[in-house]
Amino acid sequence: MKKKFSFFGVSAEILLYRNVYVIILLMISGFLIFFCLLFALVANRIYAKEQDFTPASVRDLRGGGHHAHRFEAVTLPSPLEASQVLYPAKHTHLASAPAASGLKTIDAGLPSMPFRLVQAGFSPSFSGGGSWIWNVLELVFISLTAIATVRPLIVSALAVYCQHSGRLFFPAVTGRTDPADFTASLAVSVLVPAYNEAKVIEATVRRLLESRGVAFEILVIDDGSQDETADIVRRAFAHEPRVRLIEQANGGKASALNHGLHLSSGEIVIALDADTHFEAETVLSLVKWFIDPGIGAVAGNTKVGNCHNAITRWQDIEYVTVQNHERVAFSSFGAMMVVPGAAGAWRRSALLQVGGFPLDTLAEDQDATIALQAHGWKVIYDAEAVAWTEAPDRFRDLMKQRLRWSYGTVQCLLKHRNLCFSSKVPGIGWIGLPQVWFFQIGFAIVAPLIDLMMIVTGGATMFWLIRREMLLPWMQPDKMLFCFSSMLLIELICGSIACRLEQRPHRFNSFSFLTQRFAYRQSMYLVVLKSLHAHVLARQVGWGKLPRSGLCISPEQHPVSTIIKEEQ
């Protein structure tokens, strides 16, 4: 038996993935470059202070101030003969030069100095022919970091406002305070599409049967499974009248959902994945919102239930600080982009109006969400409707899942491109779709430049520092460090805010958040690029069945639920 080993919870088989070397390099380089830039900044400041190279001195020189007599312009020898630099006159051996030029030439050699050229922040502008290239790159870097810093601030501000203003609370949205009479008479159908889910299907259905406060039926749609999924359901729930087994030939998740939709009897339809565990109040939390006749769908609060290694912990951070956080911020503006397939409720008549779950995209939940809002239905988010799902715990499986998500998102964006900046649906048209185009697609294309420029600039800076050579003027570690540190600090603050806004206590782990920033996000950028590449080449991306481990713990076993019970 081969011994399996891991590094920080990441299975060794990660090394088999063809692109993982780049991701590991980015992760390691991210940490190294950050501290290298810090060292470069400190070293430059110390040397500048020793040589009395202060910003004030340089400004006075450029403006002809009272410090100008301490510097003399000199001509650098090859390879930068055309560039001008500033040195203290007392530290140079100068030869005579034509008086008309006003310049003095460097003698045979300069004395030994820690640096031959002060860091660019204290030096004159680089006058070489390629200076505009570095100026453009610097502008790009600052712009990207500014965008990456401002967006989480805006999202967090909106989320805090929506949470504390009560705009998302049940009475404010529906105008009702007690939905008990409505839910008691409501017919609900729960659809569970399953394909080769023998490890998890029984536990999922048993969790559903423990739901309280509403009458419902459960339809398990076996989508041509090759394992014992159907046999397990048939054997385990033979005497349970609320559970029905529907078998069909393999046609995909959307096909299974549509089959169950047409055979169901409830006006409210809840769809969840076969590996998802609902809490006892989740069904009731989802369906109560439909007391408002204008609501077409409700998104639940999906959480990772198998946080046992780095891959799943990173996804848990993403679910809390990105997906759910953005739903809180955007739902009150009618800009909800997706009701998750793991936990969502739909009005049957609304789904039938848009033709059911679409078969022409890989993101049927996102496609249906956009279509409902295009037809005038409201889609909201309920943070109290908690569902625990089993996230991929291997890197290869994660990339497979996210490639399907990304490819399906691009399909939806292209399919509904006519809604962009449409006054018909202002929430989706002016907020939802544009921000997905810009941040999830466009920003994913250019965002790696931030890390790349950090690596190149920091690496080159350290190279020249070690060799006691000059620092090129475009390499400004103080600016780079300030921009990147500010971005990380803001992201940490916003991540902490997202955890505090969660309906369940969620401990914010700064170390896990930072490791996610330097490794996980780069892999997500790679996924977006691969999905765009597949679209350009007209390649089809398959659904890709993910293996189940059955490690998704039930809510009673989760420490968070234990805390809640003790408080109650």
Side-chain angles (χ1 to χ4, degrees), residues 151 337 366 409 413 431-443:
R151 184 177 186 267
M337 283 303 298
Q366 185 175 40
T409 296
L413 292 175
I431 300 177
L433 290 172
Q435 68 93 18
V436 173
W437 271 115
F438 187 80
F439 290 104
Q440 291 189 25
I441 305 301
F443 194 75

Side-chain angles (χ1 to χ4, degrees), residues 6 19 41-42 62 71-72 86 98-99 132 146 164 169 188 256 315 383 418 432 479 493 496 505 537 555 563 566:
S6 62
N19 295 310
L41 176 63
V42 173
R62 290 170 178 169
F71 299 88
E72 293 188 31
L86 302 177
W132 66 271
H164 290 279
F169 294 166
V188 179
Q315 292 174 81
N418 60 310
K479 283 187 180 181
I493 294 173
S496 178
L537 298 182
I563 294 173
E566 290 176 355

Side-chain angles (χ1 to χ4, degrees), residues 474-512:
W474 64 276
M475 294 182 178
Q476 302 187 24
D478 51 351
K479 283 187 180 181
M480 302 281 283
L481 183 64
F482 174 78
C483 293
F484 199 74
S485 300
S486 299
M487 182 177 65
L488 287 181
L489 178 61
I490 295 299
E491 288 179 349
L492 283 169
I493 294 173
C494 293
S496 178
I497 292 174
C499 291
R500 289 181 177 274
L501 292 179
E502 273 291 301
Q503 293 298 314
R504 300 290 186 272
H506 195 286
R507 186 173 64 89
F508 182 71
N509 190 314
S510 301
F511 177 77
S512 296

Side-chain angles (χ1 to χ4, degrees), residues 505-540:
H506 195 286
R507 186 173 64 89
F508 182 71
N509 190 314
S510 301
F511 177 77
S512 296
F513 188 89
L514 290 176
T515 56
Q516 187 219 40
R517 172 62 182 84
F518 288 107
Y520 181 81
R521 294 191 189 181
Q522 281 70 20
S523 65
M524 296 301 102
Y525 297 150
L526 175 63
V527 164
V528 173
L529 295 177
K530 292 181 68 174
S531 66
L532 293 175
H533 181 257
H535 269 284
V536 171
L537 298 182
R539 293 178 179 174
Q540 293 297 320

Side-chain angles (χ1 to χ4, degrees), residues 300-329:
N301 185 353
T302 308
K303 293 179 172 295
V304 176
N306 58 327
C307 295
H308 62 89
N309 65 7
I311 300 296
T312 53
R313 292 190 189 100
W314 288 340
Q315 292 174 81
D316 181 52
I317 293 172
E318 180 192 28
Y319 275 50
V320 173
T321 63
V322 179
Q323 297 183 17
N324 292 336
H325 197 46
E326 290 183 358
R327 290 190 182 108
V328 173

Side-chain angles (χ1 to χ4, degrees), residues 253 273 297-302 319 322-324 326-328 330-331 334-346 357 361-373 379-382 404-405 408-409 412-413 428 432-433 435-436 440:
K253 181 181 179 181
D273 294 336
V298 180
N301 185 353
T302 308
Y319 275 50
V322 179
Q323 297 183 17
N324 292 336
E326 290 183 358
R327 290 190 182 108
V328 173
F330 295 145
S331 62
M336 179 78 72
M337 283 303 298
V338 57
V339 173
W346 310 78
F357 292 96
T361 62
L362 290 179
E364 79 292 331
D365 47 4
Q366 185 175 40
D367 198 346
T369 302
I370 298 174
L372 254 64
Q373 293 173 95
V379 178
I380 63 171
Y381 169 67
D382 186 357
R404 174 174 60 82
W405 286 8
T409 296
C412 292
L413 292 175
I428 286 291
L433 290 172
Q435 68 93 18
V436 173
Q440 291 189 25

Side-chain angles (χ1 to χ4, degrees), residues 313-468:
R313 292 190 189 100
W314 288 340
Q315 292 174 81
D316 181 52
I317 293 172
E318 180 192 28
Y319 275 50
V320 173
T321 63
V322 179
Q323 297 183 17
N324 292 336
H325 197 46
E326 290 183 358
R327 290 190 182 108
V328 173
F330 295 145
S331 62
S332 63
F333 297 94
M336 179 78 72
M337 283 303 298
V338 57
V339 173
W346 310 78
R347 190 181 295 274
R348 178 189 177 89
S349 57
L351 271 178
L352 294 177
Q353 182 182 356
V354 300
F357 292 96
L359 300 174
D360 56 345
T361 62
L362 290 179
E364 79 292 331
D365 47 4
Q366 185 175 40
D367 198 346
T369 302
I370 298 174
L372 254 64
Q373 293 173 95
H375 282 75
W377 293 96
K378 291 189 294 185
V379 178
I380 63 171
Y381 169 67
D382 186 357
E384 295 181 354
V386 177
W388 302 90
T389 190
E390 180 181 325
D393 58 0
R394 298 188 302 176
F395 190 80
R396 182 185 297 273
D397 296 333
L398 173 65
M399 296 293 283
K400 184 190 300 182
Q401 180 198 62
R402 296 311 171 90
L403 177 60
R404 174 174 60 82
W405 286 8
S406 179
Y407 190 88
T409 296
V410 175
Q411 287 180 315
C412 292
L413 292 175
L414 295 176
K415 181 178 179 179
H416 299 283
R417 59 186 179 275
N418 60 310
L419 296 178
C420 270
F421 306 110
S422 171
S423 58
K424 177 183 176 183
V425 280
I428 286 291
W430 288 91
I431 300 177
L433 290 172
Q435 68 93 18
V436 173
W437 271 115
F438 187 80
F439 290 104
Q440 291 189 25
I441 305 301
F443 194 75
I445 297 174
V446 298
L449 289 176
I450 296 178
D451 301 301
L452 181 61
M453 292 182 68
M454 285 285 293
I455 294 173
V456 173
T457 303
T461 300
M462 289 305 300
F463 174 78
W464 271 294
L465 285 173
I466 294 173
R467 292 193 52 173
R468 304 164 71 88

